[in-house]
């Protein structure tokens, strides 16, 4: 397949590009380095410096023999999106190109506006490029489990049948996002659904939980191919923050009560899920939704796991609760369905002690580069 990856410089985009190329697909990546610019502006740079996209593509070609075409472009600008889609003529577009930080989107008016405009414009331009240039192309869009929030009922895979006053119909599952960033993902889904039902596009929307991990078959070929590893309060996920805190010798900071439950997955499984979705496309006129996670646990359970593995490596890990900077429930029901991707063939890699130990070892090698001021929350929801 000809695969176009939007947001190909990102934590997920770069390993996805290598994975598709290694599987024999023809890959183009597009990015405008928005994440790198925000990271620099907010003092949130990754722990391990990563070369530019062109340099990474050169190293990947040298070690694997596979080509990845690189285009630097702002996909929120329609002409740039259209030009790249015309040139790449993709069978599938993997759409990762959004501002993905919840805290950044809650920092103030400019950051909220930028997140809102960027995310909706990229999705809108992607839809129109497909509709007008490559109408058979399958869009694989990254959504987030955060679209659903934490409802007091089981979370279905995107759709729910509702019986009301004796009649039944099928609707998008109710969404109640906890940040402006997550709300842009809800709006993306609604936009996609409108264009799917109106123009017969084919779309898969993957409701993904927080991803962890640095290791993939291709990323392990050369140090220059490592995915971005952020541990700050802006781009770092809770898993990365805890691992870095364990190495830096500072307590793992649990936000509030720590009963927040989320669904997690290994980076290797993101690659599997996206490729499974791409190689088994949605039908024309179908908005197919999968919940993309492999296991759920609370923040307290995550902290205990990191402590257990860290203590085994003589890191003497402590855990400390701090006031929650977010507005979210700290104790709640959480029971998402996530069977669709397993039915397509997903073989999960779970968060074992060995996986956590492997990540801790990688961080220990960069211990001197940790800037501890970046870890504590610098943005409050109210
Ligand atoms: N990483 C996770 O744990 C996670 C979990 C759930 C959902 N997601 C979603 O997956 C996608 C990828 O996440 P990630 O962690 O790789 O984020 P990332 O920030 O590392 O990657 C996104 C990439 O898109 C690029 N981009 C953004 N706007 C652009 C534009 N206008 N033009 C061109 N490029 C643009 C950025 O520069 C960045 O390289 C995001 O949509 C995110 O919301 C990620």
């Amino acid at each position: 397949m000809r695969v176009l990856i939007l947001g190909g410089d990102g934590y997920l985009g770069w390993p996805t590009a290598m994975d598709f190329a290694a599987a024999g697909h023809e890959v183009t990546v597009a990015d405008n380095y928005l994440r790198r610019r925000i990271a620099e502006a907010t003092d949130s740079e990754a722990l391990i410096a990563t070369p530019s996209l062109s340099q990474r593509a050169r190293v990947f070609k040298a070690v694997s023999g596979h080509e990845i075409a690189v285009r630097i472009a702002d996909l929120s600008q329609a002409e740039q999106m259209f030009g790249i889609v015309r040139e790449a003529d993709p069978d599938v577009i993997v759409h990762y190109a959004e501002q993905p930080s919840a805290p950044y989107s809650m920092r103030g008016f400019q950051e909220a506006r930028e997140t809102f405009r960027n995310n909706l414009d990229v999705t809108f331009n992607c839809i129109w490029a497909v509709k007008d240039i490559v109408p058979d192309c399958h869009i694989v869009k990254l959504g987030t489990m955060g679209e659903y929030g934490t409802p007091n009922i089981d979370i279905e895979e995107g759709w729910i049948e509702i019986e009301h006053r004796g009649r039944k119909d099928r609707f998008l599952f109710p969404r109640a996002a906890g940040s402006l960033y997550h709300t842009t993902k809800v709006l993306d889904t609604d936009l996609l659904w409108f264009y799917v039902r109106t123009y017969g596009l084919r779309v898969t929307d993957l409701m993904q939980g927080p991803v962890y991990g640095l290791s993939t078959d291709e990323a392990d070929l050369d140090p220059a191919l490592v995915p971005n590893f952020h541990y700050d309060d802006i781009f770092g996920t809770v898993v990365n923050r805890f691992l870095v805190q364990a190495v830096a010798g500072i307590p793992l900071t649990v936000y509030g009560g720590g009963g927040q439950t989320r669904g997690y997955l290994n980076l290797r499984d993101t690659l599997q899920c996206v490729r499974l979705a791409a190689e088994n496309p949605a039908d024309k006129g179908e908005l197919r939704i999968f919940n993309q996670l492999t296991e759920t646990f609370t923040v307290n359970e995550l902290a205990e796991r990191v402590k257990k593995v860290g203590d085994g490596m003589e890191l003497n890990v402590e855990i400390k609760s701090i006031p929650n900077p977010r507005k979210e429930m700290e104790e709640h029901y959480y029971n998402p369905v996530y069977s669709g991707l397993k039915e397509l063939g997903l073989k999960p890699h779970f968060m074992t002690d060995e996986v956590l130990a492997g990540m801790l070892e990688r961080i220990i090698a960069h211990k001197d580069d940790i800037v501890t001021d970046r870890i504590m929350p610098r943005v409050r929801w109210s």
Side-chain angles (χ1 to χ4, degrees):
M1 291 184 297
R2 285 184 302 277
V3 184
L4 172 59
I5 298 175
L6 312 180
D9 186 53
Y11 169 57
L12 304 179
W14 174 245
T16 303
M18 293 192 290
D19 177 67
F20 273 100
H25 299 295
E26 199 180 304
V27 179
T28 302
V29 293
D31 206 293
N32 68 344
Y33 295 136
L34 175 69
R35 183 191 45 80
R36 291 185 192 239
R37 277 202 302 280
I38 294 176
E40 206 183 318
T42 58
D43 188 22
S44 307
E45 278 106 337
L47 180 62
I48 308 168
T50 48
S52 72
L53 260 180
S54 314
Q55 286 166 323
R56 284 165 147 184
R58 262 198 301 280
V59 173
F60 183 57
K61 171 93 197 288
V63 295
S64 74
H66 297 291
E67 299 263 4
I68 294 178
V70 172
R71 299 288 175 267
I72 302 303
D74 181 354
L75 302 162
S76 73
Q77 301 301 317
E79 287 316 315
Q80 300 191 35
M81 173 77 85
F82 296 169
I84 285 174
V85 169
R86 236 178 251 117
E87 183 195 12
D89 189 21
D91 301 303
V92 54
I93 294 180
V94 181
H95 172 11
Y96 287 125
E98 302 212 340
Q99 189 304 97
S101 162
Y104 184 75
S105 76
M106 301 297 291
R107 208 165 176 240
F109 175 79
Q110 291 305 339
E111 294 86 347
R113 185 81 194 93
E114 183 184 8
T115 304
F116 183 78
R117 187 202 62 77
N118 184 71
N119 295 1
L120 270 297
D121 280 358
V122 176
T123 300
F124 184 78
N125 291 341
C126 174
I127 288 169
W128 274 89
V130 168
K131 174 178 125 34
D132 284 355
I133 303 168
V134 281
D136 281 332
C137 175
H138 176 207
I139 300 174
V140 176
K141 164 72 174 45
L142 265 290
T144 156
M145 285 300 290
E147 292 186 36
Y148 302 120
T150 52
N152 200 29
I153 58 172
D154 292 354
I155 299 174
E156 302 299 326
E157 296 206 68
W159 298 94
I160 187 166
E161 192 168 283
I162 295 180
E163 191 173 338
H164 181 64
R165 299 188 184 180
R167 302 180 69 83
K168 278 190 198 164
D169 208 342
R170 184 173 174 262
F171 297 92
L172 283 172
F173 192 89
R175 277 84 41 83
S179 78
L180 188 269
Y181 150 67
H182 290 98
T183 301
T184 64
K185 297 295 223 189
V186 172
L187 298 172
D188 283 340
T189 300
D190 277 322
L191 210 52
L192 289 163
W193 175 216
F194 170 71
Y195 282 104
V196 162
R197 65 181 190 265
T198 307
Y199 295 115
L201 304 189
R202 57 173 97 233
V203 177
T204 301
D205 202 345
L206 297 169
M207 301 301 167
Q208 182 173 244
V211 185
Y212 59 87
L214 283 168
S215 176
T216 75
D217 289 352
E218 294 75 33
D220 293 348
L221 292 174
D222 188 285
L225 303 178
V226 69
N228 317 316
F229 181 83
H230 286 273
Y231 60 99
D232 55 87
D233 69 318
I234 301 287
F235 286 114
T237 62
V238 60
V239 183
N240 293 5
R241 285 202 307 274
F242 283 177
L243 291 168
V244 168
Q245 287 175 319
V247 170
I250 49 182
L252 314 190
T253 43
V254 169
Y255 292 175
Q260 302 92 321
T261 309
R262 299 289 183 266
Y264 295 84
L265 80 161
N266 191 306
L267 176 58
R268 288 179 179 273
D269 293 342
T270 294
L271 304 191
Q272 276 193 75
C273 292
V274 170
R275 191 131 70 77
L276 281 167
E279 291 176 348
N280 301 277
D283 290 333
K284 273 186 92 66
E286 182 190 12
L287 171 61
R288 181 176 62 166
I289 302 179
F290 293 123
N291 292 343
Q292 187 165 310
L293 60 145
T294 60
E295 54 192 327
T296 62
F297 32 82
T298 66
V299 171
N300 285 330
E301 285 164 346
L302 177 66
E304 288 299 337
R305 282 176 185 222
V306 172
K307 176 172 168 52
K308 175 175 161 246
V309 177
D311 285 348
M313 297 168 73
E314 298 186 350
L315 292 172
N316 298 322
V317 180
E318 283 176 46
I319 300 172
K320 186 176 135 194
S321 168
I322 61 167
N324 193 341
R326 302 180 178 216
K327 261 198 185 153
E328 62 185 5
M329 280 196 261
E330 293 171 7
E331 291 296 334
H332 57 88
Y333 180 78
Y334 200 68
N335 191 28
V337 174
Y338 47 101
S339 51
L341 286 159
K342 277 188 260 176
E343 281 158 24
L344 271 190
L346 169 67
K347 304 269 179 297
H349 296 74
F350 295 110
M351 191 189 282
T352 58
D353 290 357
E354 291 69 36
V355 168
L356 288 175
M359 288 185 74
L360 284 169
E361 274 159 22
R362 296 285 288 271
I363 298 164
I364 288 168
H366 294 271
K367 184 177 176 185
D368 293 344
D369 299 323
I370 297 172
V371 181
T372 52
D373 294 352
R374 288 180 187 164
I375 308 175
M376 292 301 277
R378 291 171 288 181
V379 178
R380 304 202 163 272
W381 267 223
S382 58

